[in-house]
Amino acid sequence: AETLAALDHPSIVHVYSVEECDGVRFLTMQVVEGRTLSELIPTGGMPLERVFEIAISFADALAAAHGKGVIHRDLKPANIMVGGDGRIKILDFGLAKLKESEVPAGAETEMPTAFLTRAGKVVGTVEYMSPEQAEGKPVDARSDLFSFGAVLYQMLSGVRPFQGNSWVSVISAIVNQAPSSLVTVRRDLPAGLEKIVLRCLEKSPEARYGSALEVQEALTRSRARLDESQVGLGTVLRRRRLAIPALVLVAAGLILASWLAVRSTRVRWARATALPEIERLVWSLDFVDAELLARRAERYIPDDPALRRHLAAIRMTTSIRTAPTGAKVYFKDYQDVTGPWLPLGVSPLEDAVVPGDYLRWKVEKNGYEEGRFAAFPNEDLQFTLVPEGEARGMVPVPGGRFSFGAAESVELQDYWLDRYEVTNRQFKEFVDAAGYEKRELWEHEFIQEDRALSWEEAMVLFVDSTGRRGPSIWELGSYPEGEGDHPVRGVSWHEAAAYAKFAGKSLPTVYHWRHAARYGLFSEILLLSNFEGDGPAPVGTHEGLGPYGNYDMAGNVKEWCWNRSGDRRFVLGGAWNEPTYMFRDQDARPPLERSETHGFRCAKHSAPMVADLTAPIETLVYDLSAVEPASDEVFEVFASLHAYDRGDLGAKIESIDESEEHWRQETVTFNAAYGGERVLAHLLIPKDAAPPYQTVVFFPPGSAYFLRSSEHFADSDGWDFIPRSGRAFLYPVYKGTYERGGEPLSGPLAWRDLVLAWSKDLARSIDYLETRPDVDFDRLAYMGISMGASPAPIFLAVEKRLKAAVLVAGGFDHGMLEDPPEIQPWHYAPRVKLPVLLIGTRDDFLFPLTTSQEPMFRLLGTPETDKRHALFEGGHIVPIKDAIREILDWLDRYLGPV
């Protein structure tokens, strides 16, 4: 604090004193009025002159701080105040540290790791951290220069250089990825300015500038060159002694020469710089940035063959109509929630050329509410706007033919759906209006354990934790303080239906809900939705935008729907503490259940719904306990389909990541057993155990089939406890999943080929493990979750090198009755002989206990003493802590302790 007080610099907030009151130590500081830089950076970046003015003062202040031995460690736009006179002040040295030479004897030089990282949360502002700070390594003044470069990049472009949907993905981008070129968003950059930014953002501290003073000098030179270029011609024109004819000739010559020079330079830039960057962006599936850069390059090399190939790969043509017409249409990448909107034109638009990617769309017209939508431009797009004041928190959804699962398709009329889930504050209006006392709002019979309840008996159930009327998680008849905008939760289906009637609406049917969610091949919504496990968020906090302008349909809270399935009611969308695949999977729960995960949103219809829409929907859950396994002769034919030529693996380590505390991640590739393809796999090697390592080979849940990246599989899916327990963890990217996905299946035979490819990918992954001297090849286990557990008997029967298996949330899938018999797992189950742990729940709606889980467990050929069916309370989701205990005990038993 005394050192901070000595920082007498006009661009650093002044610390006046160190005080103590009632045992609390605090600083008194200068009051700084103005606006933070984060409030001032506009879409598209700041004017160049303003950027130079702020950045040079900023670098000068950093040089002064570093000269006193102070490293800030939390530089970001929010910590830079810009006063009314345009001068800046650097604020908030709360995470500052002293250089080694400035630290008093006996003092600590670093915050302990436990403070900087607690419960997976990094203290500080992740988006602006240097790679060494993000990895928990020692930092010096060059760490601040990296943060300075990140701020300067944002001042110039309007966006942060490193993006991500969680702190983990941001850190990965900082450590592993290069920022997008500034020239893709800023064409007026003077020569050398982007080099200054990129040198500050070098991953290695040694590659950055040696000091903030060097940065300041580089910026000053760059501004001087810009000033010279702007005044040079004007100076010549003001010399009156030049004759006009001579001036005209000279000017014409200069213009021609300049044009030719510029043209030549830009052609070289397009071929040498733009084309490689476009190719990188295409391979990264970043089609929007690739399109923007390609548009610039197209001006200079329009007929270049490589550019034409790239354009063919990234562009699509679509027609866009709006109701009403004459609306301005904008777009941007779906994942780009902070970047600028790109104008496309005024509707109607015919044959509009846009990137062939899942996009956000914004539509504006005076007198109408702004519309935001999400759609892939593979068909003609129609967007409907609502006159100002008429939406009232809802969005219009067009009707059409729609089907759900095996049910008959139905005709939907146009309808309205709540933009967000019903909030605590909205539900409080129902409570305060005595909604629980108005019998006319409660139209449906209350059934509990096959017995009809009276009105009085049912109302006793609808109380909060203190016995007052309200959702189960409320207290004293009200929601937790500060959670008015959180989704209401802890309500039964009956309470949701009563509120909907009170509000003049209804619960959406399954058809209306799923039609509005309209998930398909595009899973980007999952990456921007609340599946983080930390609890529900205020509605609209996450940017998971649906196709018609609704938010939070994926994650946050599960949402009650109208239809029955047996004695249950559907509840869809998944909750914050569930896997992402629950967004698309069906679930139904007892209508009196008041789980903390259950909420709802409402629909509104212009006419009464027809019976086909409100009728019960049977989920066609068959009793699979009567299936007959194939004979030995037939099984031999089935097993032969899994054979392959082992051949050369051609294994290659693509990258190594040491950033995690408990494991090292090696990303590897090797030859597949078919089609000349390569298998991508991630191997997590424990840092706290000695080789050779026991190894668990993983098969992911269904979300892997829809997500595009396996980058954060371990921590996001919650399976990092395996390497933390001292075992290696191999996560192959199976055909059709993650980076190897995207191709739609065309029928049962295509599905058969995919399952057989999975089997061979697993076998090739084990082939790879055989080549590793640090792997204990006699102690390999398989672990599959849901999609990885249901077909697992197929793999376990033909792969003899595994010593144990763990199947979580699995069972026989009734959908497999339609599959070709060679991939029906009940033909393989009796041939499984290794120890198997099956972990399930009693109320799993996808794999019911008696008709799915138990038939699989009984058919397994494993000796009874070596198989276990562990059951827990809940739906499809197994409590993670219970699962961890069961899994580790099982691995200790059959692989031996680490």
Side-chain angles (χ1 to χ4, degrees), residues 60 84 128 145 153 164 244 259 302 313-314 336 358 436 462 482 529 565 569 583 657 705 722 788 790 808 812 880 896:
D60 185 60
Y128 303 92
L145 298 188
Y153 185 105
I244 291 178
W259 182 85
I314 63 180
D336 184 9
Y358 199 53
Y436 281 97
F462 303 140
S529 299
S565 178
R569 297 277 183 170
F583 170 51
D657 184 353
Y705 191 73
I722 295 293
S790 183
V808 182
F812 287 154
I880 185 64

Side-chain angles (χ1 to χ4, degrees), residues 4-41:
L4 294 179
L7 293 179
D8 186 15
H9 191 280
S11 293
I12 297 177
V13 64
H14 194 72
V15 177
Y16 291 120
S17 64
V18 181
E19 308 285 351
E20 183 172 342
C21 180
D22 296 331
V24 177
R25 298 174 182 173
F26 60 93
L27 309 179
T28 61
M29 304 173 69
Q30 173 188 11
V31 172
V32 181
E33 297 181 345
R35 300 173 67 190
T36 64
L37 186 57
S38 61
E39 297 174 286
L40 295 175
I41 298 177

Side-chain angles (χ1 to χ4, degrees), residues 120-187:
K121 305 297 184 186
V122 176
V123 176
T125 307
V126 172
E127 290 83 357
Y128 303 92
M129 283 184 177
S130 66
E132 60 269 29
Q133 185 177 0
E135 293 178 321
K137 297 178 180 178
V139 300
D140 58 21
R142 293 170 296 181
S143 178
D144 278 356
L145 298 188
F146 185 98
S147 303
F148 173 93
V151 174
L152 181 54
Y153 185 105
Q154 187 170 347
M155 291 167 63
L156 289 166
S157 65
V159 297
R160 299 190 307 270
F162 304 102
Q163 304 286 330
N165 305 308
S166 68
W167 68 270
V168 178
S169 59
V170 173
I171 287 178
S172 177
I174 289 172
V175 173
N176 300 309
Q177 297 177 14
S180 298
S181 174
L182 281 169
V183 297
T184 62
V185 294
R186 192 72 184 253
R187 289 179 290 177

Side-chain angles (χ1 to χ4, degrees), residues 661-662 686-690 723-724 726:
E661 179 182 0
H662 299 288
K687 293 181 177 179
D688 301 326
R724 295 183 69 173

